[in-house]
Amino acid sequence: MADEVLRSGSGAVAPDPPQAAAHWGPAAPRSARPLALNTFRENVILLPRGDPVLRPERLAGLRKVEVRANGATLLATVMICDDPALVGPGEVGLPEPTFRRLGAQAGDPVEVAPARPPRTLEAVKAKIAGETLSADDYAAISRDLAGHRWSDMEIAAFLVACAAFMTPEEVQGLTAGMIAAGRRLEWNRPMVVDKHCIGGIPGNRTTLLVTPIVAAHGLLMPKTSSRAITSPAGTADTMEVLARVDLSEAEMREVVETCGGCIVWGGRVNLSPADDVLISVERPLSIDTPEQMVASILSKKVAAGSTHLVLDLPVGPTAKLRDRRSAQRLKKLFEHVADGLGLALEVVLTDAIEPIGRGVGPILEARDVLAVLQRRPDAPKDLEEKSVRLAGRVLEFDPELRGGGGERRARELLESGAAAAKMDQICEAQGASPLSATLGGLTHEVCAPSAGHVAAVDCLRIASVARLAGAPTDPGAGVEMLRKTGDPVAAGEPLYRVYGSGRFDFGFAVEATQEDTGVRIA
């Protein structure tokens, strides 16, 4: 029934079924006209001024209209068009994202009618008031997020409200809701393994080493990764330097069946699409709360079909987790939610006093990964050692491997070249990278102001400099660390090098290093 709702103690409700949304009379059919406009996450339509049926001028006070085509329904914001050459009488202009989500073709009939706001927005108001939402509330919210029924402003309000307070049960409900709102991959294997790091440590690109090691051993590891949210490079950004990452589900399956593993961007295969929507708003706002982190990571892992997961929680003075106490709290929250989802989880707390490896930024990080795989003498040892340890923990899931033998086996696969061969196979199967693996042509060396030794490196500052330089949007931008903690330095010796391509971005990064290098000399 259209009037039926799922109510929680907070008074929040489930979303309207699509047929109940429009309420100002019959829908008005219009002819679809695709427009070469990119409105990003927002669903937008253009209507001609003076439309005799809808009279779009009266919609100025409404937030959304309901749009239907080819059996698909979505909510959209109206823009009024005064150029008949762009959108004429009897037409509705559909920018690229809206056109794609409707599955429309040029000239298709499109029905447009004013719509009431999604009822799930009542949950946002309840959450802002400090109330606790139910699992049903979060399931409904996830469906509306995945259906692009909320505006960015409404999503931001929800994120800020959740950042203020969420119970472990709410995190469980949000995670389950996000899983249910998208596809869930099945691999017909009793064990599907994965490894993930919560991020916050520049250059910590262990996944690109763990995956080929584990796949070379014979465990199935279909790795879906995210792009950067607040960092200079996400795993998908760095992998894209080496191979294509925007694979469809069918392409991903073919790679996994052939190679035993992959490293692809999760956003393309529609796993936990509600999470992708949240991330798209979290990124510009730099919101990354523990609760959202847990829901985001675990929903993606379960949706990808993982049964066993090793989770890396870096702890350090300038990491996301500053001390062991906060790390233990987050560890327990991950374990609580994973238990409810039936996911076997091992959480590993690792030291994070400085960037891992030397490169910070997609191309620089990919260069470090290749140096380790190819056993080059200049390969960063810290990246190698951490990757081997984590790969060993994943391999310990293998019931055929004797206890304590995981790390030894991981090192054997790396040193023998089996991991490098597997990475070559994965890259070839995923396809050639669309990027040019060329470092930025603008460089600036940040030098020690006095003699001494490197006493501390601020991870947040180094990441900020790399982002200001243009990473990850510019894959050739970033920071190359030339000194590590404890290294001796003479006055004027370089501590790190900044790379960039855009003059303004590069200038901002250089100015930031002059304000604070992020490296303390003692």
Side-chain angles (χ1 to χ4, degrees), residues 236-307:
D237 299 313
T238 302
M239 182 62 181
E240 195 169 32
V241 175
L242 306 176
R244 179 170 157 249
V245 296
D246 61 336
L247 276 64
S248 66
E249 180 184 332
E251 290 172 323
M252 175 186 171
R253 285 188 177 278
E254 183 177 352
V255 173
V256 173
E257 292 299 331
T258 301
C259 307
C262 67
I263 306 172
V264 303
W265 175 50
R268 175 71 191 279
V269 289
N270 199 34
L271 303 178
S272 189
D275 180 52
D276 293 329
V277 174
L278 292 177
I279 286 175
S280 69
V281 178
E282 288 172 340
R283 183 179 289 111
L285 295 177
S286 294
I287 294 176
D288 197 9
T289 65
E291 293 79 13
Q292 291 290 340
M293 184 192 308
V294 170
S296 173
I297 292 171
L298 296 187
S299 67
K300 280 287 201 298
K301 300 309 167 190
V302 173
S306 299
T307 61

Side-chain angles (χ1 to χ4, degrees), residues 45-169:
I45 66 169
L46 275 69
L47 291 175
R49 186 182 295 277
D51 182 287
V53 177
L54 280 174
R55 300 201 309 273
E57 295 83 355
R58 72 175 179 169
L59 300 176
L62 288 175
R63 301 178 66 83
K64 299 283 186 179
V65 292
E66 183 177 280
V67 186
R68 301 183 189 178
N70 297 323
T73 302
L74 51 78
L75 298 189
T77 300
V78 173
M79 297 182 70
I80 298 174
C81 180
D82 290 313
D83 183 355
L86 190 63
V87 180
E91 292 183 325
V92 54
L94 302 177
E96 190 277 330
T98 309
F99 189 76
R100 172 170 42 83
R101 289 165 187 156
L102 283 171
Q105 299 293 323
D108 280 355
V110 178
E111 295 180 343
V112 182
R116 67 169 62 94
R119 290 185 175 179
T120 48
L121 293 179
E122 296 178 31
V124 176
K125 297 176 184 177
K127 197 62 193 165
I128 290 172
E131 298 186 32
T132 300
L133 304 184
S134 71
D136 286 340
D137 291 328
Y138 283 112
I141 287 168
S142 298
R143 289 194 295 271
D144 274 0
L145 288 170
H148 299 276
R149 295 175 68 86
W150 287 10
S151 69
D152 281 5
M153 181 172 60
E154 291 157 349
I155 295 168
F158 172 70
L159 287 169
V160 172
C162 289
F165 168 71
M166 282 187 85
T167 67
E169 289 69 30

Side-chain angles (χ1 to χ4, degrees), residues 392-515:
R393 301 297 279 269
V394 177
L395 294 180
E396 290 284 345
F397 287 134
D398 182 358
E400 300 299 321
L401 196 64
R402 293 184 62 83
E407 187 171 330
R408 184 173 60 253
R409 175 62 173 155
R411 193 174 302 280
E412 173 188 309
L413 291 164
L414 181 61
E415 293 179 349
S416 69
K422 179 59 67 174
M423 187 61 159
D424 288 344
Q425 184 189 24
I426 290 172
C427 289
E428 183 177 357
Q430 290 186 198
S433 167
L435 306 179
S436 171
T438 304
L439 282 173
L442 302 174
T443 62
H444 172 73
E445 289 188 344
V446 177
C447 299
S450 60
H453 67 273
V454 178
V457 180
D458 187 332
C459 290
L460 289 176
R461 190 64 179 175
I462 296 300
S464 176
V465 169
R467 284 182 67 87
L468 285 171
T473 306
D474 175 4
V479 169
E480 180 182 13
M481 302 301 300
L482 303 175
R483 294 290 186 275
K484 288 286 190 177
T485 300
D487 286 352
V489 291
E493 280 191 331
L495 301 170
Y496 59 85
R497 185 178 297 117
V498 182
Y499 290 86
S501 301
R503 181 165 58 90
F504 292 110
D505 288 342
F506 182 73
F508 293 146
V510 172
E511 287 178 8
T513 67
Q514 293 167 347
E515 295 169 2

